[in-house]
Structures are given as structure tokens and as C-alpha cells.
Amino acid sequence: MSRSGPVGVFGAAGLLMVLVACAPTENRAPKLTEVSTGYLTAGDLARLADAVPPPPLPASEADLADKATSARYRAFEDSDRWLLATSHAELRPPLALQHFDCALGVRFGSTETPNLDRVMARVFHDAESVAEQVKRRAARPRPVGDDPQRRACQVVSEAGRKSASYPSGSAAVGAAYGEAFAAIDPSRAEAVRRIGHEIGVSRLVCAMHYPSDVATGEAIGRAAAAQAVATPAFQADLAAARVELAAARAKGLTNPGCAAERAVLPTVLP
């Protein structure tokens, strides 16, 4: 495994990507896109949650394997992949859309995308809602909860350390974003799904989730997005979202951190 230190390839251009993507402009807090409903009904969400298996039992073979793998991720602390994981911790739209800049060949934020932002906010709502329903019945501790000395690549409160790890809501949202972008721009489907997956990997690097948590979260995200994309409401929103994506791409701007992202994504993982 090849690693760069905190001032390596990602530590320079990549840190710029983190700051440019997430920093508010004109000293104002970023405006988030919030919705009260997603594309799926309450019944749809409940059925998806009911289909999710329970987490590994404590001290089971699967649980011990998860913890052994998580321990190996300590090697990424302060690495370039750690900095990318720090960036991926922001998953609320529209800020999170910028994680897909490089995969889509655009610079989100260069133009207004209210329709696309709303589509992704509704997708976020569906994926997160399913994950949260499962979390309420599964009290598996996080890696940073099992080990109070374990570092996270983001600021974590004491309550956050003690919150449920299974399934990973972040992995669910990342995978759902990937599927939604694949529906909006099928020509970039492989690339956007890759980033959706890498968002889940970042939760392992961050010590916020175990591998089983992320794998289950990704399955939730893919299932929720598949149902959402098939709804008449999503299909009705598709044309406007594609127009906004095309307009953003027509600006010809790219994220300054794309070279760093391309360098760090091939990092060999445990």
C-alpha cells in the first residue's frame, strides 16, 4: 500500500478541493436543500427497512472479522485517503453533489441547480430514512465507540461516538446518490457509482463504521434509489435535472482537486 502524508498529493490540491467544496461564501453559512418527503411512501420505506438483516452478533466470527479489518484502517490516519474521507463526511445536498464533480466532469456550484438539488435531497431523504429505521432496532457500537481513543477524521461528539453504527446511513446515501446520478447521466454511470461506493469506504477510513455496516448501507442505498428512480415523480423531475447538469458542464469548469482525487482513489485498502 502506497501512502502520502498529510502534505502529499492530496494534502495540497486535495485539501483545496475539501475547502472549496464545503466552505461558505461571503462568510455566510451554506444554504442546504431540505425536503419533507422523498420519492418513496412510508410503506415503501418500512418494507425496505424490514428486509435488512440484523448486524453481526457481538463476538461472532463476522463481528471479529469486522473489527480486525477496521483496526487495519488505522494505517490511513493522516494520509491522503484520510483527507478525502474528511471531505466525504459532508453528505447534505447541495454541498455533497460536489463529491461527484470529477466523475461527471462538472463544477457544481458554478451555476444554480435547484431542480437537481431537490432531486438529490429527496433521494437523500429516502436512503437515510430506511437506514435510520434499521438503526433504531440495532444498537451496534461504532469503532470510535468501541475504542474511545480511536481517531475519527471529523469532529465527533460524545453522543456521536455512542450512536448506532449499523447500518451506515452515509454509505446508504452515497450509494443512492451514485444510482440517481447514473439515471441522470447514464454515460457516466460507472464513474458516479464508484464515487458513491468511495463515500462508504470513507466511513471505514474515518472509523465511524465497520465493513458490515457499510456493505449493508450500500445495499439499502441501491435498493432505495432503484425504487425511487422508478417512480413517476422522479421520472417527471429527470428532464429538468439533466438540463441543469448540462448547463453546469457547459461552463467548462472543473474541480481543482480532481487530479488529487484520481491519484488517491487507487489506494490499496485492507
Side-chain angles (χ1 to χ4, degrees):
M1 176 181 68
S2 174
R3 297 174 57 211
S4 298
V7 292
V9 62
F10 202 90
L15 184 56
L16 177 61
M17 181 172 72
V18 172
L19 296 176
V20 172
C22 298
T25 59
E26 299 180 12
N27 296 318
R28 293 196 303 266
K31 184 177 180 181
L32 303 174
T33 304
E34 298 181 355
V35 296
S36 58
T37 60
Y39 288 106
L40 304 182
T41 67
D44 293 330
L45 300 174
R47 283 188 288 275
L48 285 168
D50 288 343
V52 178
L57 292 172
S60 66
E61 183 177 349
D63 181 57
L64 295 176
D66 263 358
K67 290 177 177 175
T69 300
S70 180
R72 293 195 290 273
Y73 273 89
R74 287 179 182 270
F76 291 96
E77 290 181 4
D78 297 321
S79 70
D80 292 348
R81 190 59 183 81
W82 176 269
L83 291 176
L84 180 60
T86 301
S87 170
H88 284 166
E90 176 55 78
L91 285 176
R92 297 166 298 176
L95 297 179
L97 273 57
Q98 296 179 62
H99 301 320
F100 294 86
D101 277 356
C102 307
L104 289 165
V106 301
R107 185 69 175 103
F108 284 122
S110 64
T111 186
E112 296 296 318
T113 55
N115 294 297
L116 182 59
D117 296 347
R118 188 169 56 253
V119 166
M120 291 304 174
R122 296 184 73 178
V123 169
F124 175 101
H125 180 281
D126 289 333
E128 185 186 47
S129 295
V130 176
E132 287 301 314
Q133 287 188 39
V134 179
K135 279 180 184 287
R136 287 196 285 271
R137 66 175 189 244
R140 188 186 200 192
R142 298 179 184 274
V144 294
D146 280 328
D147 180 0
Q149 302 304 312
R150 184 79 180 267
R151 292 178 60 198
C153 63
Q154 64 189 88
V155 176
V156 185
S157 66
E158 190 60 29
R161 282 184 177 269
K162 294 179 179 178
S163 61
S165 187
Y166 182 93
S168 170
S170 296
V173 169
Y177 281 156
E179 293 302 315
F181 271 125
I184 294 168
D185 189 352
S187 70
R188 304 284 183 122
E190 182 178 355
V192 294
R193 285 175 174 142
R194 167 76 184 279
I195 297 303
H197 170 67
E198 291 294 338
I199 288 171
V201 171
S202 287
R203 306 311 284 164
L204 304 176
V205 175
C206 269
M208 294 299 291
H209 293 286
Y210 289 109
S212 293
D213 308 333
V214 168
T216 301
E218 288 187 313
I220 287 171
R222 288 191 296 268
Q227 290 195 25
V229 167
T231 63
F234 183 96
Q235 292 300 313
D237 290 339
L238 195 54
R242 284 174 171 165
V243 167
E244 290 179 348
L245 176 58
R249 187 174 286 144
K251 290 275 187 177
L253 301 176
T254 57
N255 192 308
C258 287
E261 183 182 271
R262 287 192 297 271
V264 75
L265 286 181
T267 300
V268 177
L269 300 171

